[in-house]
């Protein structure tokens, strides 16, 4: 397969890059972090109104921009470069994936999609203990009483639940199948957990007979399909973060001089950066391939290409961030430099939506189907 970005995709990347550089650069992320503010809601709202970023790959019939999963990965890439602290991954990347995966969306699903595209923050909580999305990982229970549905259970490691306007909760119905429910955050106890990534919070959600609205009754397939798109979004974000931290390290290696010459000329530095670049370029190809498979709804192929892409992208970020710390030498781990923020983002991203070992298992299991098509 020969793949290259179209001029429209290049334009989208440039427009979003300019927008984020002006309104949400990494320096702003750091300033918000030091001020104890999660993110700038005005910037979030203008992203929806001015650019339609939150619904980039949502069909126009559902009030979206009507682009593809490739464009979604490009949007996430630009957000990842700046370690954007808004809930773009949590809402657009994760929650929207569940909603778009519903085969025949009803009024509740359509309404949530439209709200999300307009800037409403919808946060998804699928597995109870965090990790990979699967129907078998849901144990929160749902009961249908005289006053309506109520949910009981605890969701752990939910990304940015503390800023949610609506919670999208997976819970087990009385017949044993998983359903999706909309819950007002005020009806649950949301607690921010300790996390090594200070740029965005991980939370727990405690539900004790919390009132809820049924959105999707039999959601097992939506969870499985949604996990594929969500993984592409996370891979795109990780790829952007990897590329940014590598470029920062390369710039430092060019400016920093030792023995009368830039440290980048020494093999121990330039070979390290070159190896990281190879990882990033290979991961880029894997992410685009996975995005194409998800966009085409080619599930047999996506079941192999998506975990492969996510494994490659998160590994590339981890390596690039680690190498950036080393290239910066004695200042690499200090608060004043950004390298440590990318290390922390990489560590958390590696464990979102499942572990690296689970992704490798999925590639081994479904890889033959991908090989047969190549």
């Amino acid at each position: 397969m020969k793949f290259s970005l179209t001029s429209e995709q290049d334009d989208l990347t440039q427009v979003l890059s300019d927008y984020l550089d002006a309104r949400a650069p990494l320096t702003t992320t750091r300033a918000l972090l030091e001020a104890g503010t999660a993110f700038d809601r005005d910037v979030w709202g203008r992203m929806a109104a001015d650019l339609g970023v939150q619904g980039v790959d949502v069909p126009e019939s559902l009030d979206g921009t009507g682009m593809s999963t490739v464009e979604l990965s490009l949007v996430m890439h630009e957000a990842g470069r700046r370690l954007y602290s808004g809930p773009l991954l949590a809402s657009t990347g994760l929650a929207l994936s569940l909603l778009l995966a519903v085969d025949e969306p009803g009024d509740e699903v359509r309404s949530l999609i439209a709200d999300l595209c307009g800037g409403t923050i919808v946060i998804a909580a699928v597995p109870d203990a965090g990790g990979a999305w699967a129907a078998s990982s849901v144990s929160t229970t749902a009961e249908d009483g005289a006053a309506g549905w109520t949910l009981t259970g605890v969701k752990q490691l939910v990304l940015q639940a503390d800023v949610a306007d609506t919670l999208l909760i997976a819970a087990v119905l009385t017949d044993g199948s998983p359903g999706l429910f909309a819950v007002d955050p005020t009806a649950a106890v949301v607690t921010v957990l300790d996390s090594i990534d200070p740029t965005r919070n991980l939370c727990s959600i405690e539900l004790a007979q919390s009132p809820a609205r049924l959105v999707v009754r039999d959601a097992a397939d939506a969870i499985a399909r949604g996990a594929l798109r969500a993984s592409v979004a996370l891979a795109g974000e990780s790829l952007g973060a990897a590329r940014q931290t590598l470029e920062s390290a390369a710039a430092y290696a060019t400016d920093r001089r030792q023995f009368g010459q830039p440290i980048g000329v020494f093999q121990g530095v330039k070979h390290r950066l070159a190896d990281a670049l190879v990882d990033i370029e290979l991961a880029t190809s894997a992410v685009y391939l996975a995005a194409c498979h998800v966009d085409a709804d080619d599930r047999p192929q996506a079941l192999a290409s998506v975990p492969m892409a996510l494994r490659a992208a998160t590994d590339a970020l981890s390596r690039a961030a680690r190498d950036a710390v080393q290239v910066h030498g004695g200042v690499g781990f200090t608060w004043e430099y950004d390298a440590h923020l990318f290390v922390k983002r990489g560590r958390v991203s590696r464990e979102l939506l499942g572990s690296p070992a689970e992704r490798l298992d999925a590639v081994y299991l479904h890889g033959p189907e991908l090989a047969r098509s190549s």
Side-chain angles (χ1 to χ4, degrees):
M1 173 187 289
K2 182 178 180 180
F3 181 89
S4 61
L5 297 178
T6 65
S7 59
E8 291 82 2
Q9 290 167 337
D10 286 333
D11 290 343
L12 170 67
T13 300
Q14 188 60 56
V15 167
L16 183 57
S17 176
D18 292 343
Y19 187 92
L20 291 175
D21 281 343
R23 294 175 174 84
L26 182 53
T27 52
T28 297
T29 298
R30 291 190 67 119
L32 291 170
L33 172 62
E34 292 170 4
T37 303
F39 69 103
D40 188 331
R41 283 187 175 266
D42 181 62
V43 170
W44 175 260
R46 293 183 64 181
M47 283 173 63
D50 298 346
L51 302 179
V53 165
Q54 284 86 335
V56 63
D57 63 332
V58 176
E60 293 180 359
S61 60
L62 294 174
D63 294 331
T65 307
M67 296 184 182
S68 73
T69 313
V70 174
E71 281 83 0
L72 171 68
S73 71
L74 296 176
V75 166
M76 293 299 168
H77 181 278
E78 293 307 306
R81 287 185 72 103
R82 294 151 184 87
L83 296 184
Y84 176 58
S85 60
L88 192 62
L89 176 65
S91 189
T92 298
L94 305 187
L96 186 55
S97 294
L98 287 174
L99 298 170
L100 291 178
V102 177
D103 274 334
E104 297 180 1
D107 291 341
E108 284 281 1
V109 173
R110 290 175 175 273
S111 177
L112 279 174
I113 291 175
D115 290 346
L116 196 154
C117 292
T120 297
I121 300 171
V122 181
I123 299 297
V126 178
D128 282 46
W133 283 9
S136 59
S137 65
V138 179
S139 55
T140 294
T141 57
E143 295 184 6
D144 188 10
W149 289 96
T150 59
L151 306 184
T152 300
V154 178
K155 299 288 187 180
Q156 297 286 356
L157 304 178
V158 182
L159 190 63
Q160 294 187 283
D162 56 316
V163 300
D165 297 318
T166 300
L167 297 171
L168 186 61
I169 306 291
V172 179
L173 305 175
T174 52
D175 64 1
S177 64
L180 295 178
F181 295 83
V183 176
D184 189 319
T186 60
V189 178
V190 178
T191 304
V192 175
L193 305 173
D194 290 334
S195 171
I196 63 171
D197 181 5
T199 61
R200 57 189 182 192
N201 291 327
L202 290 172
C203 305
S204 67
I205 302 172
E206 185 177 350
L207 304 153
Q209 295 187 323
S210 302
R213 302 193 321 271
L214 180 62
V215 176
V216 180
R217 180 171 289 276
D218 187 359
D221 188 61
I223 290 172
R225 292 177 60 204
L228 297 174
R229 178 186 177 277
S231 296
V232 171
L234 176 57
E237 184 194 67
S238 300
L239 197 58
R243 196 174 294 278
Q244 178 61 38
T245 192
L246 175 63
E247 290 176 3
S248 298
Y252 183 84
T254 301
D255 295 338
R256 177 75 166 88
R257 300 181 68 84
Q258 187 70 15
F259 304 111
Q261 54 190 331
I263 63 172
V265 304
F266 300 116
Q267 288 186 353
V269 174
K270 64 182 178 182
H271 288 181
R272 183 187 292 271
L273 296 176
D275 288 344
L277 178 61
V278 170
D279 285 352
I280 291 171
E281 292 301 324
L282 290 173
T284 299
S285 298
V287 170
Y288 289 156
L289 177 64
C292 289
H293 286 157
V294 171
D295 196 55
D297 200 20
D298 189 344
R299 195 162 172 181
Q301 304 277 23
L303 287 172
S305 64
V306 169
M308 179 173 67
L310 185 53
R311 174 68 187 256
T314 52
D315 281 358
L317 171 54
S318 295
R319 176 173 188 163
R322 183 179 65 248
D323 288 348
V325 171
Q326 296 297 321
V327 169
H328 279 79
V331 299
F333 63 89
T334 62
W335 180 261
E336 290 74 17
Y337 286 77
D338 296 328
H340 70 98
L341 294 175
F342 288 92
V343 171
K344 294 167 183 175
R345 175 64 67 89
R347 288 295 299 270
V348 172
S349 295
R350 275 172 63 88
E351 301 299 329
L352 287 177
L353 303 178
S355 69
E358 288 174 314
R359 291 168 199 143
L360 204 56
D361 288 344
V363 173
Y364 287 152
L365 179 62
H366 301 287
E369 182 64 32
L370 186 63
R372 281 194 288 269
S373 68
S374 61

